[in-house]
């Protein structure tokens, strides 16, 4: 039996539990694990026979804690190579106003910059608090992370999107080269 414990913010506990406990039951059924949630402390205990299932469930709980909906966080289970990467922006920003500006650059007007990064990289993003969480395959996460870091450095959106376009074309070329 493998067990682990993770602390999440108390405002994300209702999201993890779901309406009438549905989300929690769905996670347990899908992963073969057992979740124990302490609503007061925000501690989530995860136990199961399969150590990898416990690890993947922990990643999903971390993703939900970082702002992903349970449906988007569940993409972690789509492939064994899917991963969660969390980029902490607190070292870059010293004031709440700077943090707000930076989040605004990453999300873009009406969420279009975030959507564009997701479409071009193939990864999914969640911008919450002082972090940007990214879920995807290793190369997708790497490209999305680089794009976010470029925006953090202050590069124009057009430069970031041309970088992602180049990476997308390289990936397509590599795929064609692999098969033909």
């Amino acid at each position: 039996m493998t067990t682990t414990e993770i602390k999440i913010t108390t405002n994300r506990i209702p999201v993890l539990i779901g309406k009438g406990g549905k989300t929690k039951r769905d996670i347990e059924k899908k992963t073969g694990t057992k979740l124990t949630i302490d609503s007061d402390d925000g501690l989530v205990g995860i136990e199961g026979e399969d150590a990898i299932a416990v690890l993947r469930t922990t990643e999903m709980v971390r993703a939900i804690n970082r702002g992903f909906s349970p449906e988007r966080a569940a993409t972690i289970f789509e492939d064994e190579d899917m991963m969660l990467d969390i980029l902490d922006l607190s070292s870059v920003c010293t004031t709440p106003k700077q943090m707000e500006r930076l989040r605004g650059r990453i999300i873009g007007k009406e969420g279009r910059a975030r959507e564009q990064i997701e479409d071009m990289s193939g990864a999914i993003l969640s911008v919450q608090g002082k972090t940007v969480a990214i879920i995807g395959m290793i190369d997708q996460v790497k490209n999305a992370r680089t794009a976010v870091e470029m925006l953090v450095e202050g590069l124009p959106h057009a430069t970031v999107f041309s970088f992602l376009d180049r990476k997308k074309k390289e990936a397509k070329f590599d795929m064609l080269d692999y098969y033909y």
Side-chain angles (χ1 to χ4, degrees), residues 106-173:
I106 297 165
I107 296 169
K109 192 173 188 173
E110 297 176 6
R112 284 192 285 241
R114 181 186 59 85
E115 285 176 11
Q116 187 80 359
I117 293 170
E118 289 181 344
D119 289 342
M120 296 180 88
S121 69
I124 56 174
L125 278 72
S126 173
V127 182
Q128 183 188 12
K130 297 176 181 178
T131 63
V132 178
I134 307 167
I135 296 176
M137 304 293 262
I138 294 168
D139 286 342
Q140 294 170 336
V141 169
K142 184 176 143 200
N143 292 338
R145 182 184 180 98
T146 303
V148 169
E149 288 170 345
M150 290 169 78
L151 288 173
V152 168
E153 290 171 15
L155 291 170
H157 284 82
T159 304
V160 174
F161 298 146
S162 65
F163 160 78
L164 286 171
D165 189 47
R166 189 173 68 252
K167 288 297 186 182
K168 192 174 184 177
K169 287 177 182 169
E170 286 173 12
K172 191 179 280 187
F173 180 76

Side-chain angles (χ1 to χ4, degrees), residues 3-4 9 42 46 85 88 100-101 103 129 164 173:
T3 61
T4 189
T9 56
I46 304 165
D85 186 25
D88 188 1
E100 190 71 30
R101 188 182 152 281
R103 281 196 307 259
L164 286 171
F173 180 76

Side-chain angles (χ1 to χ4, degrees), residues 19-37:
K19 193 170 189 167
K22 184 180 179 339
T23 304
K24 178 180 176 273
R25 282 192 307 275
D26 289 348
I27 294 169
E28 290 174 338
K29 185 177 177 184
K30 179 179 263 184
T31 62
T33 59
K34 174 90 174 94
L35 299 179
T36 311
I37 302 168

